[in-house]
Amino acid sequence: MPKSGGGEVFRITGARQGLADDVRGRQRRYIISMTVRTLSVIAAAVLWNVERHVAIVALALGILLPYIAVVIANAGRETAPSLPSTFVPAPVRPALGAAEASVDADTERPYGRN
């Protein structure tokens, strides 16, 4: 039975996201940007005789978005994350001189010496 602690989960591999997941994400971004482009061209056509300045901005957006969408879709895969360090520092042991100095600082001396 797995523990249900709220602790931090560590990624133990430097593997990239799966190819299918990567392609699916790029397709989703492309479809969203093409939908925005289609809506901006429709808005430009509807607003041309009503509000020409807004229609020109919408038309410019409709012209520029296909280029931006293709560049984003073909950007390639993500870079592999850096692997965690495998170096584990050795535990720090107190020096013998530090322990003797702390005993001498106390009012009582060990082993019955006064």
Side-chain angles (χ1 to χ4, degrees), residues 8-49:
E8 185 177 357
V9 177
F10 294 98
R11 183 175 182 174
I12 61 170
T13 180
R16 297 185 199 178
Q17 180 182 17
L19 183 60
D21 293 335
D22 183 57
V23 170
R24 188 178 312 117
R26 287 192 281 151
Q27 286 175 340
R28 184 180 322 119
R29 287 189 299 269
Y30 183 78
I31 288 172
I32 290 170
S33 63
M34 295 303 351
T35 303
V36 170
R37 180 219 182 212
T38 303
L39 293 175
S40 67
V41 169
I42 291 171
V46 169
L47 295 173
W48 190 258
N49 289 329

Side-chain angles (χ1 to χ4, degrees), residues 55-74:
I56 291 172
V57 170
L59 188 61
L61 186 64
I63 291 171
L64 293 176
L65 265 177
Y67 173 75
I68 294 169
V70 168
V71 168
I72 290 173
N74 292 330

Side-chain angles (χ1 to χ4, degrees), residues 74-106:
N74 292 330
R77 297 190 68 188
E78 67 182 14
T79 58
S82 62
L83 294 174
S85 174
T86 57
F87 176 73
V88 178
V92 179
R93 295 182 181 169
L96 292 176
E100 291 174 2
S102 66
V103 170
D104 289 340
D106 292 339

